[in-house]
Amino acid sequence: MLDYAEPVTKLIDEFKRLPGIGHKSAQRLAFHVLKAPQEETDRLIEAIREVKEKIVFCSTCNNLTDVDPCRYCSGHSRDRSVICVVEEPYNLVAIEKTREYHGLYHVLHGALSPIRGIGPEELRIKNLLERLRPNESGESSVKEIILATNPNTEGEATANYLARLLKPLGFRITRIAMGLPVGSDLEYADEVTMHKALANRHEI
Amino acid sequence: MHLQRIEATSFRNLTGSVEFSSGLNVVYGANAQGKSSWLEAIYLLATTKSFRTSHPKEAIRHDANEAILRGTVARGNLTKDLQLLITESAKQAFVNGKREAVARYLGNLNAIAFTADEMQIVRGAPESRRRFLDRGIFFTLPSYLGALNEYNRVLKQKNALLREASDSDDPAKYFDLIQPWNDQLVALGSEIHAARVNYVNELRAHLNPGLFQAEEIAIRYKSSLEGRGDLGDYANLLKERLSLRLKNEIAVGYSLVGPHRDDLEILCDSYEISRFGSSGQQRSALLILDLAQMSVYYQVFEEYPIFLIDDLDAELDRTRIEILLDHLDGRSQTIVSTSKRTIAERYRHRARTLLVESGRAVEDEVLMKEGNAI
């Protein structure tokens, strides 16, 4: 016999599929939904339906968008000579929040990870190459590509792979720096970050 | 640094608490009473790892959900309370009653253990010798653990690719895919190689080669790239070897080149000790290495880690025990376990001696006061 009536079990099982949700959290969410007023659950159902219907991937940069091409790709004030490559759409948001980067983006939707069977084919690299293709006059508007994949082994491998691929094409390839978080104290830095910050010190 | 007191709750068959002196402590008693468990508890409290099992949850008593170890560590005039909570699924560390990340918890109490398993260092495969070096290095160089973990993670990813490539009809198409992982192996591998070479030099400088016998113990870091080129320019050599052996790596389906294939060479009168040494020579060599590790530690921190010896008499003969305990006297807090009452009696004049029965450790003096004959 099931612990709960079938519809409840089904809901718990569906919640469990979500990232970061274990059995207990799934149970809590399911019971929240059960107790919630009808309007609230309707809003949730509608929000999920709407996001699946209206949100698409930008055909240029693969970012999440409700118009294609997305607002960054079609924006007139954006600097078209720089493309910043990130792993996920939320990485893009993190960079955009600075309001200091005005170039274009490219979202890979992942990083190389042979263990998980993710190779270059599984990442959105093909349409990055298309974006870089020179126009009729033999020139590409892009001059620099910033590799802003995550500072872990998978992100690093992805950055190395792209650098090897793109550098021979004559672009300036840069990698975001790794080091201390600004506004915090040195004492909060872990040893590895501190080690990298010391190794990458610069003269002032 | 010394451990003043430890208390165990629901940990194996242990009950109550034990107080230690800052010098020599002899824990004795019949077999299966809990001597080794007390030492294991101390080692766990210090390192969050057990020297008996890789699954510390096995140490939780059967009728309990969690085990708790509590200890008081003294450094000079400072004391700190350490606590380790072991549950089915996790370990939680506390310092002075406050939860701490394990990385910050470590270092409050450092211990070196001489146990039967550790004999693998002088007897077994290179892996245990690399582990001995790595452990010693991250005592003194905290960022090393990060580099080592990252190296292993990259290696795993690369091995997954190599396996795939060796099954493939067109292995050549994997060359470009493997390259980014090799780039990282070069950077991290060079860091690991440099740290290990440096640490072995430090160990050698503190080696007391003839402490236990006439034969001299010598050590050397033996890179797997030896004889393949200029080790002085390790990064370039590693890069070269990685590209040269790529096809072989694909053929076998796993990684063949890098510091994960290196070894620590331990020689006894210029013979390799793991192959030609007697078991007495091997024990002496291991002790000499442990003591050198302690000295290097002292050089960095100006204090000694605590030294644990499980089953003292099973591992060492009387002469070696005497030389060792004399050497440690005045340096390191030493806690040994033995099944022989005679050893406890021999050292009673200069040691705290504790009798362990059914998991409880009682000081000899207390026993005497209570009128129990010893």
Side-chain angles (χ1 to χ4, degrees), chain B residues 153-183:
Chain B
R153 210 166 135 181
V154 173
L155 208 57
K156 243 190 196 161
Q157 295 278 22
K158 182 183 166 184
N159 282 339
L161 267 179
L162 288 172
R163 259 196 312 277
E164 225 181 277
S166 76
D167 288 342
S168 157
D169 297 331
D170 182 17
K173 75 169 194 215
Y174 283 88
F175 291 177
D176 288 346
L177 294 179
I178 292 167
Q179 207 51 58
W181 301 101
N182 276 352
D183 285 348

Side-chain angles (χ1 to χ4, degrees), chain A:
Chain A
M1 204 179 83
L2 293 167
D3 288 342
Y4 298 112
E6 205 188 297
V8 183
T9 308
K10 202 165 137 194
L11 183 59
I12 293 175
D13 286 347
E14 287 308 315
F15 276 134
K16 266 202 280 194
R17 290 175 195 269
L18 301 178
I21 306 288
H23 183 74
K24 281 183 188 156
S25 302
Q27 205 167 277
R28 214 162 52 227
L29 290 172
F31 276 86
H32 176 84
V33 167
L34 275 175
K35 283 187 202 150
Q38 187 71 37
E39 311 86 79
E40 195 182 315
T41 50
D42 284 347
R43 271 205 306 277
L44 178 64
I45 293 166
E46 189 47 35
I48 293 175
R49 194 195 311 280
E50 202 175 303
V51 85
K52 289 305 283 181
E53 272 171 17
K54 295 195 180 150
I55 298 298
V56 291
F57 294 126
C58 172
S59 56
T60 309
C61 73
N62 314 313
N63 186 25
L64 297 177
T65 177
D66 53 353
V67 285
D68 187 18
C70 75
R71 290 180 175 81
Y72 301 116
C73 290
S74 59
H76 293 298
S77 60
R78 308 298 295 198
D79 178 355
R80 303 195 161 265
S81 69
V82 199
I83 294 181
C84 177
V85 179
V86 295
E87 289 179 20
E88 299 290 346
Y90 45 81
N91 299 142
L92 181 157
V93 174
I95 294 174
E96 195 54 29
K97 268 188 190 155
T98 64
R99 305 268 171 249
E100 288 191 29
Y101 175 73
H102 303 293
L104 302 174
Y105 291 101
H106 192 87
V107 185
L108 296 172
H109 288 280
L112 293 177
S113 177
I115 295 175
R116 291 168 51 217
I118 300 175
E121 295 296 312
E122 278 69 35
L123 303 178
R124 312 276 177 105
I125 293 175
K126 216 170 266 169
N127 66 345
L128 175 62
L129 294 174
E130 279 162 26
R131 291 176 78 180
L132 300 174
R133 197 170 295 152
N135 56 18
E136 301 79 42
S137 54
E139 261 186 54
S140 170
S141 59
V142 180
K143 300 280 172 276
E144 178 177 357
I145 296 156
I146 303 173
L147 301 173
T149 50
N150 286 327
N152 53 33
T153 51
E154 290 77 14
E156 202 62 27
T158 310
N160 285 350
Y161 177 81
L162 289 174
R164 284 175 177 278
L165 194 66
L166 304 175
K167 199 133 190 176
L169 305 178
F171 298 101
R172 178 173 186 232
I173 311 290
T174 53
R175 176 91 173 103
I176 49 165
M178 292 170 214
L180 297 167
V182 178
S184 82
D185 253 65
L186 285 189
E187 63 179 285
Y188 294 122
D190 65 284
E191 287 82 3
V192 179
T193 306
M194 199 68 193
H195 172 80
K196 291 227 157 106
L198 273 172
N200 297 329
R201 70 187 184 278
H202 61 86
E203 206 167 309
I204 52 169

Side-chain angles (χ1 to χ4, degrees), chain B residues 111-373:
Chain B
I112 290 178
F114 182 86
T115 65
D117 278 357
E118 294 286 287
M119 285 301 289
Q120 286 304 311
I121 295 168
V122 282
R123 205 172 265 172
E127 192 194 348
S128 30
R129 286 185 285 282
R130 286 193 298 268
R131 210 178 311 130
F132 167 81
L133 291 178
D134 292 339
R135 202 174 45 208
I137 298 170
F138 55 71
F139 267 153
T140 51
L141 189 71
S143 70
Y144 182 73
L145 185 58
L148 199 65
N149 286 343
E150 239 177 285
Y151 182 88
N152 288 328
R153 210 166 135 181
V154 173
L155 208 57
K156 243 190 196 161
Q157 295 278 22
K158 182 183 166 184
N159 282 339
L161 267 179
L162 288 172
R163 259 196 312 277
E164 225 181 277
S166 76
D167 288 342
S168 157
D169 297 331
D170 182 17
K173 75 169 194 215
Y174 283 88
F175 291 177
D176 288 346
L177 294 179
I178 292 167
Q179 207 51 58
W181 301 101
N182 276 352
D183 285 348
Q184 288 190 79
L185 287 183
V186 169
L188 295 162
S190 307
E191 208 177 312
I192 290 166
H193 178 260
R196 286 190 184 154
V197 167
N198 188 26
Y199 187 67
V200 171
N201 287 340
E202 292 278 320
L203 278 180
R204 194 182 304 112
H206 288 89
L207 215 57
N208 200 336
L211 185 62
F212 295 101
Q213 61 209 10
E215 302 96 334
E216 294 237 320
I217 303 294
I219 56 169
R220 193 173 69 87
Y221 188 67
K222 198 172 162 196
S223 166
S224 48
L225 301 187
E226 223 170 75
R228 308 287 182 193
D230 179 15
L231 279 168
D233 188 7
Y234 187 81
N236 267 325
L237 178 58
L238 181 55
K239 200 169 151 191
E240 198 184 293
R241 295 301 301 174
L242 280 167
S243 57
L244 212 63
R245 310 265 338 249
L246 182 57
K247 281 186 184 149
N248 304 59
E249 292 192 316
I250 289 177
V252 294
Y254 57 87
S255 195
L256 296 170
V257 184
H260 62 287
R261 316 267 295 182
D262 292 357
D263 197 358
L264 172 70
E265 191 175 71
I266 308 171
L267 301 175
C268 178
D269 273 354
S270 71
Y271 291 107
E272 208 175 301
I273 200 152
S274 57
R275 294 172 63 197
F276 303 108
S278 71
S279 81
Q281 287 170 331
Q282 289 173 340
R283 287 195 179 97
S284 301
L286 179 56
L287 278 174
I288 286 169
L289 284 174
D290 279 343
L291 295 176
Q293 195 162 63
M294 268 177 54
S295 303
V296 173
Y297 184 93
Y298 181 81
Q299 187 185 263
V300 178
F301 296 105
E302 295 192 340
E303 62 181 355
Y304 285 102
I306 66 175
F307 200 81
L308 307 172
I309 307 167
D310 189 28
D311 218 349
L312 180 73
D313 49 284
E315 295 301 332
L316 299 168
D317 59 33
R318 187 171 170 161
T319 326
R320 284 194 179 88
I321 292 174
E322 260 166 35
I323 297 172
L324 174 67
L325 295 182
D326 281 345
H327 183 86
L328 290 169
D329 194 20
R331 284 193 168 91
S332 178
Q333 180 184 33
T334 306
I335 303 171
V336 306
S337 74
T338 172
S339 56
K340 295 221 175 65
R341 170 168 297 184
T342 48
I343 291 183
E345 268 157 21
R346 200 185 310 145
Y347 286 99
R348 182 164 291 136
H349 64 285
R350 51 178 260 215
R352 189 181 183 88
T353 47
L354 299 140
L355 174 65
V356 177
E357 268 176 341
S358 332
R360 183 181 292 280
V362 187
E363 202 189 343
D364 275 3
E365 277 177 34
V366 178
L367 290 175
M368 282 187 223
K369 263 184 221 149
E370 285 172 357
N372 294 320

